[in-house]
Amino acid sequence: MQFSQIIGHANLKSHLLDVVKSEKIPHAQLFIGPEGNGALAMAIAFAQLINCEKPTETDSCGICGACQKAKKMIHPDIHFTFPVIGKKEGKPPLSDDWIAEFRKSVLENPYLNEYDWLQKIKAENKQGNITALEAKNILRKLSFKNYEGKYRVSIIWKPEALKKEGNILLKLIEEPPANTIIILVAENQEDILPTILSRTQITKINRIEDKDISAALINQYQVEAEKAQRIAFLADGNFREALLLVENEDDPFDQDLKDWLTFTLNNNASELVSFMEKKAGKGREHIKQFLEYYLHFLRECMILKFSNQLNAKFTHSEKQLAERMSRFLNEEKLYLLVPLIEKCHYAIERNCNPKITLLNLSIQMEKILRGKPISTESWVERIG
Ligand SMILES: [Zn+2]
């Protein structure tokens, strides 16, 4: 992977290039930031750059022997650790057992999240682990001499999965062997063992800017300019999200949301049931995106209502719906509605029946929007 393939982050790329030129590469680094920001891609591109035989002023060369291997993720000195489950019944979870699947998944979409990855190995309902055995395996691999690269690099994706077994790595992280670089790629700083955190140099990787997402969609995915801009607004710096929204491009959510709100507020049970059946038929990922779209819509509605109208990111048809919706909304209702939608999103992810989950959400939503009391111990709390 090269910097040129990574969306946005111009300043960060230039900073990393300076670090490489200075030849003072920190031996333990933490790339951290929100989902869909491209942090894993950045770590892979950085590992390629530091092993490239003929780097240019702005990037790895992309054609030397090291680059050829690094771009296929098969460079013998670039190692990967990531959350996994045991490959067979009774087998301990080990990244090496899944490396072929991991390479394929990351090369297909370097912006994937942990859920996408676990889904690729049909483990989305399980907890991915980085175990003590895996930590020992990292130590073992990094104790060998470099095969051919200038640097040995260990990329640990989602170190949040390392619990106390992560302490096995402390000495390595503090004082790795010569020419060894460890890059942790994480989303949540508070979920990383403090002993590990304090031994790394932190590089924050922010959300991708809207203009960069929009340009990438236009140039790489042939999305029409206006649509690309709208998707970039919705994706909110998350390119994983942007790609999912492109897939749904022919199926815009605003009309669906309008129908849903209308059926709900009119208590139109038969329309509501057929709407839910249609939605359930489109699969979990579609419903999750629809709920994310709804959350985005509510956030923009509040901006429209309480702040400068020009700040709200709406298309023309969305704006009409938002103006209608704003009449029903206030801050108190929003505080009830948002966690409810988030819990539904979680429930859908955890395989709850989508039709029942959405129908129940509609019932609660109608009560909230109309200012009726809702039960304190609601059905979603029982699911969550
Ligand atoms: Zn090269």
Side-chain angles (χ1 to χ4, degrees):
M1 197 146 336
Q2 290 182 276
F3 280 168
S4 59
Q5 294 168 282
I6 299 175
I7 299 154
H9 298 308
N11 292 341
L12 176 62
K13 288 173 188 168
S14 126
H15 164 73
L16 292 174
L17 283 158
D18 287 345
V19 168
V20 177
K21 284 176 200 153
S22 75
E23 295 188 0
K24 286 185 191 137
I25 303 172
H27 57 254
Q29 307 183 49
L30 171 64
F31 284 9
I32 191 148
E35 178 191 293
N37 62 354
L40 177 60
M42 196 65 87
I44 297 173
F46 185 67
Q48 178 168 333
L49 174 70
I50 60 181
N51 274 312
C52 173
E53 292 150 28
K54 287 183 182 157
T56 68
E57 274 300 300
T58 54
D59 214 336
S60 53
C61 77
I63 46 175
C64 72
C67 281
Q68 291 291 347
K69 289 177 188 160
K71 73 178 173 195
K72 293 185 201 145
M73 293 172 69
I74 53 168
H75 194 294
D77 292 310
I78 304 175
H79 306 282
F80 294 93
T81 288
F82 39 87
V84 285
I85 56 164
K87 191 144 194 173
K88 287 190 185 129
E89 188 77 27
K91 254 199 126 200
L94 213 52
S95 301
D96 281 353
D97 289 341
W98 295 102
I99 187 67
E101 290 86 349
F102 187 69
R103 279 183 195 127
K104 188 168 178 283
S105 307
V106 174
L107 293 173
E108 252 170 40
N109 177 15
Y111 293 85
L112 85 177
N113 68 6
E114 189 178 351
Y115 176 80
D116 299 333
W117 158 240
L118 291 174
Q119 209 175 22
K120 293 275 183 195
I121 58 169
K122 300 191 171 39
E124 66 269 33
N125 296 323
K126 296 184 181 152
Q127 179 87 37
N129 283 312
I130 300 181
T131 60
L133 185 66
E134 175 74 29
K136 286 178 191 155
N137 204 27
I138 297 174
L139 293 184
R140 188 183 57 82
K141 285 187 204 166
L142 297 184
S143 68
F144 300 144
K145 272 180 46 193
N146 296 19
Y147 285 96
E148 49 194 58
K150 289 186 263 185
Y151 291 95
R152 258 173 316 186
V153 187
S154 177
I155 296 177
I156 304 177
W157 184 53
K158 300 295 292 178
E160 294 96 326
L162 270 167
K163 302 300 169 208
K164 64 178 189 314
E165 54 274 15
N167 288 321
I168 296 171
L169 296 173
L170 289 189
K171 194 166 175 302
L172 173 79
I173 292 175
E174 193 157 80
E175 250 183 287
N179 301 326
T180 303
I181 311 286
I182 295 150
I183 309 176
L184 308 168
V185 182
E187 281 173 29
N188 303 307
Q189 193 162 321
E190 61 274 22
D191 293 338
I192 300 172
L193 274 182
T195 43
I196 288 189
L197 194 64
S198 63
R199 287 167 171 82
T200 58
Q201 177 165 317
I202 298 178
T203 300
K204 286 225 157 72
I205 303 193
N206 298 325
R207 294 178 185 285
I208 307 168
E209 287 184 35
D210 286 0
K211 66 171 173 46
D212 292 326
I213 290 195
S214 163
L217 292 179
I218 295 167
N219 300 328
Q220 295 170 34
Y221 295 83
Q222 289 75 48
V223 178
E224 186 192 304
E226 199 185 324
K227 239 172 221 169
Q229 206 175 24
R230 189 165 61 89
I231 290 175
F233 282 155
L234 285 174
D236 198 21
N238 178 340
F239 197 69
R240 170 189 183 264
E241 191 63 37
L243 290 178
L244 291 171
L245 288 163
V246 170
E247 277 175 32
N248 272 320
E249 195 186 337
D250 300 327
D251 191 7
F253 286 134
D254 54 347
Q255 185 57 45
D256 277 356
L257 183 61
K258 196 173 169 182
D259 290 347
W260 185 29
L261 290 169
T262 309
F263 302 150
T264 298
L265 287 167
N266 292 344
N267 276 326
N268 191 334
S270 66
E271 289 281 20
L272 205 50
V273 169
S274 73
F275 177 82
M276 292 310 159
E277 271 165 1
K278 195 178 99 189
K279 274 272 164 255
K282 289 188 174 177
R284 286 177 198 283
E285 204 52 51
H286 174 91
I287 300 171
K288 276 163 60 191
Q289 278 175 47
F290 179 59
L291 294 174
E292 283 159 26
Y293 170 80
Y294 187 24
L295 285 169
H296 158 86
F297 179 82
L298 288 175
R299 192 172 61 230
E300 298 302 322
C301 278
M302 292 313 278
I303 293 174
L304 186 72
K305 194 174 168 101
F306 295 112
S307 151
N308 182 348
Q309 295 221 352
L310 294 173
N311 286 340
K313 296 169 177 176
F314 284 126
T315 61
H316 180 67
S317 68
E318 283 173 335
K319 194 156 180 262
Q320 286 179 326
L321 180 61
E323 278 165 355
R324 262 178 62 202
M325 187 72 173
S326 301
R327 276 183 259 141
F328 285 95
L329 270 182
N330 60 28
E331 216 169 327
E332 197 187 338
K333 289 177 183 176
L334 204 70
Y335 280 130
L336 293 170
L337 207 46
V338 168
L340 201 64
I341 300 166
E342 283 169 344
K343 279 183 185 170
C344 264
H345 184 277
Y346 181 77
I348 299 284
E349 194 166 287
R350 309 306 291 182
N351 274 335
C352 288
N353 181 312
K355 204 173 121 189
I356 295 172
T357 308
L358 286 174
L359 269 173
N360 279 323
L361 174 60
S362 305
I363 294 165
Q364 299 292 330
M365 183 166 82
E366 191 267 339
K367 288 183 182 164
I368 294 171
L369 289 174
R370 295 232 178 257
K372 298 178 190 167
I374 57 164
S375 63
T376 45
E377 199 243 336
S378 76
W379 54 278
V380 251
E381 271 151 26
R382 291 199 300 274
I383 297 167

